[in-house]
Amino acid sequence: MHQALYRVYRPKTFDDIVGQEHITSVLKNQVAEDTVNHAYLFCGPRGTGKTSTAKVLARAVNCTGEIKPCYQCKSCEQSSLDIIEMDAASNNSVDNIRDIRDNIVFMPSVSRYKVYIIDEVHMLTKEAFNALLKTLEEPPKNVIFILATTEPHKIPATIISRTQRFDFRRITNDEIIQRLRYILEQEEIAYEEEALSVIARCANGGMRDALSLLDQVISFSDDKVSFEQAIQVSGSLTDDLMIEFVRLLTQQQAQAALLQLQDLLLLGKEASRLIEEWLEFSRDLLVAKQTGDMIGRSEAFVAFAKEVEEAFLYRFMDALNQTQQEMRFTTKPTISLEVFTIKMAQPVG
């Protein structure tokens, strides 16, 4: 049975965690100096390494080897007995937290610490949070809590104040590409650099999404990860398609722009995804015009970056943001896109 890449290449050490050096360096020092906290709160977008870091930390605090975790000592081999994972999305009641509170009085089976990892902790009920608060106020010395969430604003301030908080950032495209390159070389699969750029851009800062998309592209063809396959599988837009659409708007060709919009929608492009891709594309154009950095971009992009005016790009991005907001409250997003297209193709008055 094929095992998903994000599971095969799940980080096993702090050094394996991509893009979160500001967090892993602190945790490594705490483990080395034996100054670990009794409770942690890992916040950040999905797929950025919160749960993976929690699992690495849970093993590291109990490891007796020189490099932690070593995966060779007795604690590493049997630590699963003392690492308890709970998904608060499906175990969010006060009874679930009471079960934890009843069990933390027992000593760890084989390790120094018993570690509780509670994922999506913001899903707990009010009563469950109150029960958790009592546990965090007076935790046993041999217990560590690691709470993970994508929505920290839903967590009571009383809980947050009793944890050490770490905010995970979105992983940059360059960091994602570097990791994808490493995995493909390990798997001995040929690839095109442009394909990795497409996957990284679609992942939107999430390594797990990037690996899932890479898995799909590999399944599409066994011999090579190509640019065309990445575009087809991801539903992403090429530079040429985006340039053509934006150029039609700058030339005030509303009818032609509407026809191209219809073609994109017929190809199965989602309205919300089109907005996101146009935003990223116009952002890249602005950055390129300001910094001159166009490394890795197509010749068409380089030429268009010199051609398009900054004033238009600012107006384009403002209109995209406004349309994105409007689309959240409509059942027919394509109409919003059509109105946006017509407006952008009008003369500035």
Side-chain angles (χ1 to χ4, degrees):
M1 180 183 292
H2 171 73
Q3 194 171 20
L5 288 177
Y6 78 87
R7 295 182 63 188
V8 176
Y9 290 94
R10 180 183 288 276
K12 294 183 177 180
T13 68
F14 288 117
D15 292 336
D16 291 338
I17 298 165
V18 177
Q20 311 298 344
E21 289 77 10
H22 62 295
I23 295 173
T24 56
S25 60
V26 174
L27 295 177
K28 285 169 68 175
N29 288 336
Q30 288 185 350
V31 171
E33 297 169 6
D34 196 18
T35 56
V36 293
N37 204 45
H38 76 281
Y40 293 89
L41 176 62
F42 291 171
C43 312
R46 65 189 182 91
T48 52
K50 299 184 298 298
T51 305
S52 295
T53 303
K55 291 181 177 181
V56 172
L57 177 60
R59 287 182 177 273
V61 294
N62 288 317
C63 178
T64 58
E66 187 173 341
I67 300 176
K68 304 177 186 297
C70 68
Y71 293 93
Q72 295 178 350
C73 65
K74 179 181 178 181
S75 179
C76 282
E77 292 176 352
Q78 302 181 19
S79 62
S80 58
L81 297 171
D82 295 314
I83 300 176
I84 301 94
E85 297 182 55
M86 188 183 93
D87 182 7
S90 53
N91 300 278
N92 60 359
S93 71
V94 64
D95 290 335
N96 296 124
I97 301 301
R98 284 173 178 164
D99 287 342
I100 292 177
R101 195 172 64 189
D102 292 341
N103 288 324
I104 61 175
V105 297
F106 300 109
M107 294 294 293
S109 299
V110 296
S111 308
R112 180 182 177 187
Y113 292 104
K114 187 181 291 186
V115 183
Y116 287 87
I117 301 174
I118 306 180
D119 202 7
E120 301 299 340
V121 70
H122 64 272
M123 298 290 286
L124 292 180
T125 63
K126 181 180 178 181
E127 294 75 15
F129 270 127
N130 289 334
L132 178 61
L133 178 61
K134 293 180 181 179
T135 304
L136 294 180
E137 285 176 335
E138 298 178 1
K141 293 183 178 180
N142 61 326
V143 172
I144 295 174
F145 284 91
I146 307 176
L147 317 178
T149 179
T150 54
E151 302 185 51
H153 58 280
K154 293 184 178 180
I155 301 176
T158 50
I159 296 288
I160 295 176
S161 65
R162 285 166 174 80
T163 64
Q164 192 168 98
R165 175 172 173 169
F166 290 97
D167 289 285
F168 287 66
R169 64 174 178 83
R170 292 190 185 277
I171 304 169
T172 67
N173 286 359
D174 286 344
E175 290 167 335
I176 291 176
I177 289 171
Q178 186 175 349
R179 183 64 174 172
L180 296 181
R181 193 182 293 128
Y182 167 79
I183 290 171
L184 288 169
E185 289 171 356
Q186 293 296 308
E187 297 290 319
E188 297 183 347
I189 297 174
Y191 61 90
E192 294 177 357
E193 283 289 335
E194 295 86 349
L196 305 190
S197 296
V198 170
I199 294 171
R201 191 174 73 228
C202 290
N204 195 27
M207 183 59 72
R208 185 171 65 243
D209 287 351
L211 294 181
S212 295
L213 186 53
L214 178 62
D215 240 338
Q216 292 177 356
V217 178
I218 291 174
S219 299
F220 196 73
S221 177
D222 295 330
D223 57 348
K224 188 175 184 179
V225 174
S226 70
F227 173 74
E228 289 76 12
Q229 291 163 357
I231 289 291
Q232 187 169 351
V233 172
S234 68
S236 183
L237 298 180
T238 64
D239 276 358
D240 289 341
L241 283 173
M242 287 189 276
I243 289 169
E244 183 182 354
F245 180 75
V246 176
R247 180 177 281 129
L248 289 172
L249 297 181
T250 63
Q251 295 173 349
Q252 300 174 11
Q253 297 186 43
Q255 185 175 0
L258 283 171
L259 288 173
Q260 197 201 33
L261 174 62
Q262 292 301 323
D263 289 341
L264 293 173
L265 294 172
L266 287 173
L267 287 173
K269 312 296 184 185
E270 293 184 2
S272 59
R273 184 61 190 163
L274 286 174
I275 292 283
E276 291 174 4
E277 294 224 29
W278 285 329
L279 276 169
E280 291 175 10
F281 179 67
S282 51
R283 186 271 318 274
D284 289 348
L285 285 169
L286 278 172
V287 171
K289 290 181 76 68
Q290 290 292 329
T291 65
D293 182 10
M294 304 187 196
I295 298 174
R297 303 306 302 235
S298 64
E299 291 183 7
F301 177 91
V302 173
F304 189 64
K306 297 175 181 177
E307 169 191 332
V308 67
E309 295 181 358
E310 286 187 20
F312 174 85
L313 292 175
Y314 286 125
R315 192 162 59 90
F316 184 58
M317 294 184 75
D318 285 342
L320 284 170
N321 283 318
Q322 183 178 346
T323 305
Q324 191 175 49
Q325 294 295 325
E326 293 171 356
M327 282 168 52
R328 294 178 181 177
F329 305 101
T330 180
T331 56
K332 296 183 178 180
T334 54
I335 293 178
S336 297
L337 276 186
E338 289 169 346
V339 172
F340 155 79
T341 301
I342 293 170
K343 282 183 178 180
M344 285 305 303
Q346 300 303 310
V348 179

